[in-house]
Amino acid sequence: MILQNTGTVTPELRVLGAVQLPAFLIDADFPAVIDAGMSCMADRYVREIREALNGGPPARLFLTHTHYDHIGAAAGIKKAFPEMEICCSEAGCEVLKRPRAIETIRELNRDGAGYMEKMGEPVSGSLEFETFTVDHPISDGDTFPLSAGMHLHAIATPGHTRDAMSFYVPEKKMLFTGEAAGVMSDTGYIFSEWLADYNDYYASLQKLGALEIDILCLGHGGVLTGRDAKNHIDRAMEYCRWFRQLIESTLAETGGDVEQAKQHIKEKEYDPIPDPKQPEMAYLLNLDAKIRAVQRLDQQN
Ligand SMILES: [Zn+2]
């Protein structure tokens, strides 16, 4: 099943905020929040966490990567629950030390608030991104307790970004991928998201494909359960290979001209997809990174 609403999925899992911009809550003895969307969503996440946990604090917030739309509300959630530990990959901690990265995250959060309003999502509180301290840098293989007999494992899944981490609860076969497993649109199409490196992205998909998955929480667009969850990683790999080929054939047509290739690919991939979808500017920026990653790869070969 493909669930595209917020609220309760299973007794221990809730989708907070908005489907396109979710945070996930695992209700357990040590409750965990996964991802923190955009700054303009902080009030909503906090309210919904309080409702779910009867006011109590989450033990930890896990960040899948340090893009603006996954860490925007981290400071706001921390302010509401000061005892909560923020956990992020070591590579992510490095990104958060770079003033230029912080500036970009701030600008994109301001723009993003307008986008959410356009999508009909209520935004409230401060729209400004605030920096935060990572309490617990995490590495591949780290394990955190949730409840007796339920744990959360950190799995390094680079490729979308270098700092990307997925989180897996083996006892529930529940996986949180951020963008490591692509972004699914309402039509079922999966956008491949290798912004940093194609081979790393594909290898990360292979790693995720080896897991047993019953509940798959995507960074954007919904929660997949049962057969849809099981099939998603294979489908994401198919789209990944297909999209690489599309980039290669388009570059061959344009004689290696990236700007022209971008326009051709946008017409084929992005234009036919109905809203809600990523804003065009962000799509083109990401597409640029994906095309250049393929070019680098083909130059190496
Ligand atoms: Zn994202």
Side-chain angles (χ1 to χ4, degrees):
M1 220 177 351
I2 301 173
L3 307 172
Q4 290 187 303
N5 47 314
T6 54
T8 305
V9 178
T10 68
E12 51 281 314
L13 176 65
R14 272 196 202 215
V15 182
L16 312 175
V19 176
Q20 290 307 322
L21 205 64
F24 299 99
L25 175 68
I26 306 174
D27 191 353
D29 292 345
F30 299 98
V33 176
I34 289 115
D35 271 350
M38 295 198 297
S39 308
C40 64
M41 300 291 285
D43 286 2
R44 257 168 96 181
Y45 297 142
V46 167
R47 194 179 62 240
E48 291 173 19
I49 292 168
R50 284 214 171 100
E51 271 168 28
L53 301 180
N54 296 319
R60 296 184 181 86
L61 165 63
F62 295 94
L63 301 172
T64 59
H65 59 301
T66 53
H67 273 169
Y68 79 103
D69 57 335
H70 295 261
I71 63 167
I77 301 173
K78 177 81 178 184
K79 216 174 271 176
F81 307 109
E83 53 277 79
M84 178 191 77
E85 271 194 336
I86 300 182
C87 307
C88 176
S89 72
E90 280 153 5
C93 296
E94 294 307 310
V95 174
L96 294 171
K97 285 181 195 152
R98 299 206 313 252
R100 268 191 57 198
I102 296 295
E103 205 35 57
T104 306
I105 290 166
R106 192 163 275 144
E107 277 169 31
L108 290 170
N109 266 292
R110 275 184 213 132
D111 283 1
Y115 174 73
M116 291 309 283
E117 277 178 324
K118 213 178 94 193
M119 291 291 134
E121 295 291 346
V123 301
S124 64
S126 167
L127 310 183
E128 270 307 280
F129 173 75
E130 284 179 51
T131 53
F132 56 90
T133 307
V134 174
D135 302 297
H136 192 143
I138 48 179
S139 312
D140 184 42
D142 285 357
T143 295
F144 299 84
L146 292 168
S147 290
M150 184 159 75
H151 297 82
L152 182 136
H153 291 265
I155 305 171
T157 45
H160 174 57
T161 56
R162 287 179 212 294
D163 65 1
M165 280 266 176
S166 295
F167 300 104
Y168 183 56
V169 181
E171 296 86 356
K172 301 284 170 189
K173 299 180 183 164
M174 189 155 70
L175 177 66
F176 303 85
T177 57
E179 258 118 300
V183 171
M184 200 179 63
S185 81
D186 285 354
T187 62
Y189 178 79
I190 301 169
F191 287 92
S192 301
E193 295 297 341
W194 65 78
L195 305 188
D197 188 82
Y198 177 89
N199 283 337
D200 285 352
Y201 185 83
Y202 199 79
S204 291
L205 280 172
Q206 284 174 318
K207 217 186 213 186
L208 296 176
L211 302 172
E212 280 188 65
I213 310 168
D214 250 354
I215 301 170
L216 175 58
C217 300
L218 296 173
H220 305 284
V223 174
L224 310 184
T225 63
R227 191 184 297 265
D228 288 307
K230 276 183 192 55
N231 291 343
H232 180 87
I233 304 295
D234 277 348
R235 292 184 62 237
M237 288 168 79
E238 265 170 51
Y239 276 114
C240 194
R241 295 189 299 266
W242 173 81
F243 195 58
R244 177 186 170 175
Q245 272 168 13
L246 177 67
I247 290 177
E248 284 171 339
S249 60
T250 310
L251 281 172
E253 276 164 34
T254 67
D257 183 326
V258 173
E259 285 309 313
Q260 237 186 326
K262 251 160 55 181
Q263 289 309 320
H264 289 203
I265 291 169
K266 177 179 155 296
E267 280 163 26
K268 285 195 187 121
E269 190 194 31
Y270 178 85
D271 292 347
I273 300 276
D275 278 327
K277 59 185 171 185
Q278 169 179 52
E280 184 170 317
M281 207 180 85
Y283 169 79
L284 286 172
L285 258 176
N286 288 351
L287 180 57
D288 194 274
K290 291 178 220 177
I291 293 174
R292 288 177 200 282
V294 170
Q295 262 184 334
R296 269 199 309 277
L297 192 71
D298 291 343
Q299 277 157 8
Q300 282 159 16
N301 292 338

